[in-house]
């Protein structure tokens, strides 16, 4: 998905809902958010940490907004559980 500025965004809904290639498997992640060292290198390649710190700030804001609308989000997820 691309935003109006051409930035690429990817949300792995399969990971979020624990759906894996080949069907559902019972594997539980210990962390609520998956972020690898490679992602950090991509976000802040020059090592200044400015872009990475901005990423942390915006990610935190995003999670707080999701929390505010959590009931609506859960209703949408619940509805989608029964669709094929």
């Amino acid at each position: 998905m691309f935003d109006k500025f051409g930035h690429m965004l990817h949300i792995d809904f399969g990971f979020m809902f624990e759906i894996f290639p080949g069907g559902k498997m019972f594997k539980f992640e210990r962390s609520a958010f998956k972020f690898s060292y490679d992602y950090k290198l991509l976000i802040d390649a020059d090592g200044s940490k400015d872009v990475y710190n901005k990423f942390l700030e915006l990610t935190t804001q995003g999670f707080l907004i999701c929390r505010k609308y959590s009931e609506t989000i859960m209703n949408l997820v619940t509805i989608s559980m029964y669709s094929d």
Side-chain angles (χ1 to χ4, degrees):
M1 180 168 38
F2 294 92
D3 69 8
K4 64 183 179 181
F5 302 106
H7 300 118
M8 187 171 65
L9 172 70
H10 171 75
I11 300 172
D12 190 347
F13 289 105
F15 171 75
M16 289 173 56
F17 299 124
E18 297 180 354
I19 300 169
F20 300 92
K24 291 189 177 187
M25 297 172 59
F26 294 102
K27 178 182 175 192
F28 298 99
E29 291 285 339
R30 294 179 186 250
S31 64
F33 183 76
K34 187 184 271 189
F35 186 79
S36 72
Y37 179 73
D38 293 333
Y39 289 151
K40 183 182 182 307
L41 288 177
L42 287 171
I43 289 172
D44 208 5
D46 68 356
S48 68
K49 296 191 179 185
D50 292 337
V51 176
Y52 178 69
N53 288 334
K54 186 66 173 178
F55 169 81
L56 291 178
E57 177 187 334
L58 293 174
T59 301
T60 301
Q61 288 177 11
F63 277 116
L64 292 174
I65 291 168
C66 288
R67 183 184 292 173
K68 180 178 178 181
Y69 296 102
S70 63
E71 187 173 337
T72 301
I73 293 169
M74 289 307 299
N75 286 335
L76 292 170
V77 169
T78 301
I79 289 169
S80 69
M81 287 173 44
Y82 300 105
S83 65
D84 286 331

